[in-house]
């Protein structure tokens, strides 16, 4: 069986991978071919072509095309949670309920177009959508080689609606224990702080992580950003993961943090010269992320870790 995996559902870092009878034959990121960092809003055309040519596989030989973004049913909690938490932006809330798979449909259309460009027969070759966090979990677990029961952690900004995944793998099968949904996203909060600290979201998070050791993580209390009782998280959307009229805007640009964040912490950092108090903000954010992540890991994966000591993790925040 030959499977071509394509990514880029969330508008950044598109890539392609080719599996032949369960073995990795080729993998590549689009940015390497077009020389554009993160290849934003691009499709993995060149990377997919490279994989096929490197492995000597014809487009007609592809059995399945997999994509890490799937439709979410109305009866699931994902879309309802989003609508409830974003009640203050009724257009977004109602859209989540009545048109909640619009991003999936747009992605599916673009992938089918890409398949045609690659010479893959869309009528003969099935398009297989995979939930984003399940794809993250699989990328870590199925390549780990672990045979014992294995804890699986996935944390990123968000996929379709899920932002955090706790589960386990056993006998090659992934089981879900718990998920959290947008806007309750650790990655979203970290990304919002990335913007506030003067970097680009979905690119500069590693710079925030690099700033953190230079600051004092106990100088400010950042707990108001995310309430955590050890079992659940709730982000303060007045401050971060903000949409609509609550967003802070500057020079016509809307940011992922709120006006109240600037009232609380001061003006957004600009340039590279001003470090105080911003290095301390980076340190406080890093500490908050680690403390909450470890609390949740203990709650949902602690028993498995004490039993086998095996864990796999994936997603930008987990990294």
């Amino acid at each position: 069986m030959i499977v071509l995996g394509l990514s880029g559902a969330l508008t950044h870092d598109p890539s392609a991978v080719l599996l032949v009878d369960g073995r990795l034959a080729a993998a590549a990121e689009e940015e390497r071919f077009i020389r554009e960092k993160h290849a934003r809003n691009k499709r993995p055309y060149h990377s997919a072509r490279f994989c096929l040519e490197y492995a000597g596989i014809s487009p007609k030989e592809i059995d399945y095309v997999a994509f890490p973004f799937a439709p979410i049913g109305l009866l699931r909690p994902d879309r309802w949670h989003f609508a409830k938490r974003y009640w203050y932006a009724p257009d977004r809330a109602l859209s989540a309920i009545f048109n909640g798979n619009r991003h999936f449909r747009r992605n599916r259309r673009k992938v089918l177009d890409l398949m045609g460009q690659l010479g893959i027969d869309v009528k003969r070759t099935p398009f297989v959508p995979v939930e984003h966090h399940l794809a993250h979990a699989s990328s870590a677990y199925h390549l780990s080689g672990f045979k014992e029961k294995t804890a699986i952690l996935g944390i990123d900004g968000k996929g379709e609606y899920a932002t955090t995944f706790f589960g386990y793998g056993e006998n090659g099968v992934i089981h879900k224990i718990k998920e959290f949904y947008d806007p309750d996203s650790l990655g979203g909060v970290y990304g919002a702080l990335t913007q506030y600290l003067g970097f680009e979201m979905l690119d500069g998070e590693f710079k925030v992580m690099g700033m953190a050791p230079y600051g004092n993580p106990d100088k400010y209390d950042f707990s108001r950003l995310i309430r955590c009782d050890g079992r659940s998280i709730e982000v303060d959307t007045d401050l971060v993961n903000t949409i609509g009229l609550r967003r802070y805007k500057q020079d016509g640009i809307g940011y992922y943090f709120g006006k109240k964040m600037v009232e609380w912490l001061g003006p957004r950092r600009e340039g590279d010269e001003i470090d105080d108090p911003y290095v301390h903000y980076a340190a406080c954010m890093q500490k908050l992320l680690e403390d909450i992540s470890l609390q949740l890991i203990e709650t949902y994966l602690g028993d498995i870790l004490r039993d086998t000591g095996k864990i796999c993790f994936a997603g930008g925040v987990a990294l």
Side-chain angles (χ1 to χ4, degrees):
M1 181 171 65
I2 300 176
V3 179
L4 176 65
L6 302 172
S7 76
L10 301 172
T11 74
H12 64 91
D13 300 293
S15 59
V17 61
L18 191 68
L19 294 171
V20 179
D21 294 330
R23 297 183 64 86
L24 178 65
E29 289 201 51
E30 190 70 8
E31 69 171 20
R32 302 298 180 177
F33 299 91
I34 67 173
R35 311 306 298 169
E36 181 181 323
K37 190 175 182 182
H38 299 303
R40 295 187 188 280
N41 297 307
K42 300 296 193 301
R43 291 289 151 181
Y45 172 74
H46 297 89
S47 47
R49 278 191 56 186
F50 165 81
C51 288
L52 293 171
E53 292 170 2
Y54 182 85
I57 298 294
S58 164
K60 296 180 181 179
E61 297 179 82
I62 301 296
D63 295 304
Y64 298 95
V65 172
F67 190 70
F69 204 85
I72 302 298
L74 185 59
L75 297 181
R76 287 180 35 164
D78 315 38
R79 290 158 62 178
W80 292 95
H81 182 89
F82 181 97
K84 178 181 177 182
R85 295 282 283 113
Y86 278 137
W87 61 268
Y88 64 84
D91 57 328
R92 297 286 295 275
L94 291 172
S95 180
I97 296 173
F98 295 107
N99 193 22
N101 287 315
R102 65 192 183 283
H103 295 307
F104 166 75
R105 291 193 298 271
R106 182 171 66 241
N107 274 306
R108 182 179 184 275
R109 183 174 64 252
K110 290 182 177 180
V111 172
L112 292 178
D113 288 344
L114 176 59
M115 289 170 63
Q117 293 171 27
L118 292 169
I120 301 172
D121 187 347
V122 297
K123 294 182 179 179
R124 188 194 70 82
T125 308
F127 167 81
V128 182
V130 180
E131 284 190 33
H132 190 75
H133 275 260
L134 181 60
H136 271 314
S138 178
S139 74
Y141 171 62
H142 285 124
L143 298 179
S144 69
F146 292 159
K147 304 301 181 185
E148 307 92 334
K149 188 174 183 179
T150 301
I152 303 175
L153 168 68
I155 315 179
D156 62 8
K158 74 168 183 174
E160 299 86 0
Y161 291 91
T163 64
T164 312
F165 174 97
F166 298 94
Y168 66 93
E170 193 169 28
N171 299 321
V173 179
I174 293 173
H175 304 268
K176 184 189 303 183
I177 296 174
K178 177 69 176 178
E179 280 185 326
F180 296 110
Y181 307 113
D182 198 25
D184 298 315
S185 166
L186 293 168
V189 173
Y190 206 98
L193 260 291
T194 297
Q195 284 189 326
Y196 175 79
L197 292 175
F199 306 116
E200 187 176 351
M201 193 174 182
L202 299 176
D203 174 73
E205 283 81 357
F206 76 95
K207 296 177 182 179
V208 177
M209 187 169 63
M211 284 178 70
Y214 294 96
N216 178 357
D218 300 314
K219 190 164 185 175
Y220 300 97
D221 181 6
F222 268 33
S223 62
R224 61 188 292 188
L225 293 177
I226 313 172
R227 290 179 288 276
C228 178
D229 61 5
R231 298 194 60 83
S232 63
I233 55 174
E234 184 174 294
V235 169
D236 187 335
T237 57
D238 274 328
L239 299 171
V240 283
N241 296 6
T242 307
I243 62 174
L245 296 177
R246 290 187 183 181
R247 277 190 170 176
Y248 174 75
K249 294 183 179 179
Q250 183 180 348
D251 299 327
I253 299 173
Y255 292 92
Y256 205 48
F257 55 88
K259 303 168 188 174
K260 291 188 176 181
M261 172 88 103
V262 176
E263 294 173 8
W264 171 36
L265 296 179
R268 173 177 174 265
R269 178 175 178 262
E270 296 185 59
D272 295 325
E273 276 68 45
I274 304 174
D275 289 332
D276 188 19
Y278 300 102
V279 290
H280 306 302
Y281 292 164
C284 293
M285 180 68 254
Q286 185 68 29
K287 183 176 188 296
L288 181 69
L289 171 71
E290 293 173 5
D291 288 348
I292 291 178
S293 297
L294 290 171
Q295 287 183 58
L296 297 174
I297 289 169
E298 170 59 31
T299 297
Y300 294 107
L301 303 177
D303 289 345
I304 299 171
L305 286 169
R306 280 184 286 275
D307 183 27
T308 67
K310 303 293 185 186
I311 185 170
C312 296
F313 54 88
V317 182
L319 294 176

